[in-house]
Amino acid sequence: MTKTSLTRRIARAIGASLTELGINALTWIGAGVGGYIGFGAAPDSWATGWKAALAGIGALAFAVGFEDLLDDVVAPLRRLADTRPTGSRYSTEPATAAATAHEGLIQLREAACADAASRAAADAYRVDRGQVLLTDVDRWQGYPDGTASFHLAPGAYLRYWRDSNADGITPGMVFTFVTGEADNPVPVTDVQQLQRLMADYADRATNSEDDTDTALKAA
């Protein structure tokens, strides 16, 4: 690692820390504003306890709203401050100029796959806040249509695609837990939920293996 690249990685690490500190600070400010508005909106006839409860609801609502809004705003900053080496995010070799339209299409498809995997890993911080597993771009398989999948276990995957929010403009990120048991993907919002889904799947897989062994022995 050269001195220049080391300096850049340090600068990006500092930028990432400052970005997260800024988000946390603004979220707390949002919670304070929501609590103040909630307490003030309570009728004067209400007891202090009920006013405090309404303030708490307002604080929670504003904090969640601020965090969701900031997530969309700072997503480019998070990608810019990504300290992982470029090679780990884009594993393909530099492409040479296409000689034919078909070769150009193939290169674009490969680029789309790499783009989908990179976006999935970058957006996975919404689910994996610790950024220790799902943000590993090398574990994501991208596809030309912009979707990507993360192999969790045999027959179990985390799927990713980008969708539009209610305004039809702002891109939204969707993660779903998918298994080979049935075509019924489950939306995933955090690692704890994914852990529970995997635990249930592991139990079902174990029971299925036990039933198979029993049937083979009986035969």
Side-chain angles (χ1 to χ4, degrees):
M1 181 182 294
T2 63
K3 182 177 180 180
T4 301
S5 62
L6 177 60
T7 302
R8 288 177 179 173
R9 292 199 66 185
I10 293 175
R12 287 179 176 178
I14 294 174
S17 298
L18 292 176
T19 298
E20 296 302 326
L21 286 174
I23 293 173
N24 291 335
L26 290 174
T27 300
W28 280 109
I29 291 174
V33 171
Y36 178 81
I37 293 176
F39 193 89
D44 294 336
S45 59
W46 283 21
T48 303
W50 287 108
K51 290 183 178 180
L54 184 59
I57 295 174
L60 180 61
F62 269 67
V64 172
F66 265 58
E67 186 176 13
D68 288 342
L69 177 62
L70 290 171
D71 276 345
D72 293 331
V73 173
V74 303
L77 292 177
R78 281 196 171 103
R79 295 190 184 100
L80 183 62
D82 191 350
T83 57
R84 290 173 294 177
T86 303
S88 68
R89 288 181 284 155
Y90 304 100
S91 58
T92 56
E93 294 291 334
T96 58
T100 65
H102 182 66
E103 289 182 4
L105 179 59
I106 292 176
Q107 290 180 354
L108 285 174
R109 285 177 176 173
E110 292 176 350
C113 291
D115 179 79
S118 179
R119 289 179 183 275
D123 292 335
Y125 74 90
R126 295 172 177 270
V127 177
D128 182 8
R129 293 287 181 171
Q131 301 185 34
V132 296
L133 177 63
L134 302 180
T135 52
D136 183 357
V137 68
D138 295 328
R139 296 282 302 274
W140 283 97
Q141 172 63 55
Y143 303 99
D145 63 354
T147 63
S149 64
F150 189 101
H151 179 83
L152 296 167
Y157 300 86
L158 183 66
R159 293 299 303 273
Y160 163 89
W161 73 88
R162 296 171 69 85
D163 199 357
S164 296
N165 290 334
D167 57 11
I169 299 175
T170 307
M173 299 77 176
V174 181
F175 292 90
T176 56
F177 178 73
V178 181
T179 68
E181 299 172 319
D183 187 18
N184 186 27
V186 180
V188 175
T189 57
D190 55 59
V191 170
Q192 287 73 26
Q193 178 195 8
L194 184 59
Q195 181 181 355
R196 292 192 296 269
L197 292 170
M198 271 298 298
D200 292 341
Y201 173 74
D203 289 341
R204 293 194 301 272
T206 300
N207 292 335
S208 177
E209 292 174 357
D210 291 342
D211 292 341
T212 301
D213 291 341
T214 301
L216 291 174
K217 290 178 181 179

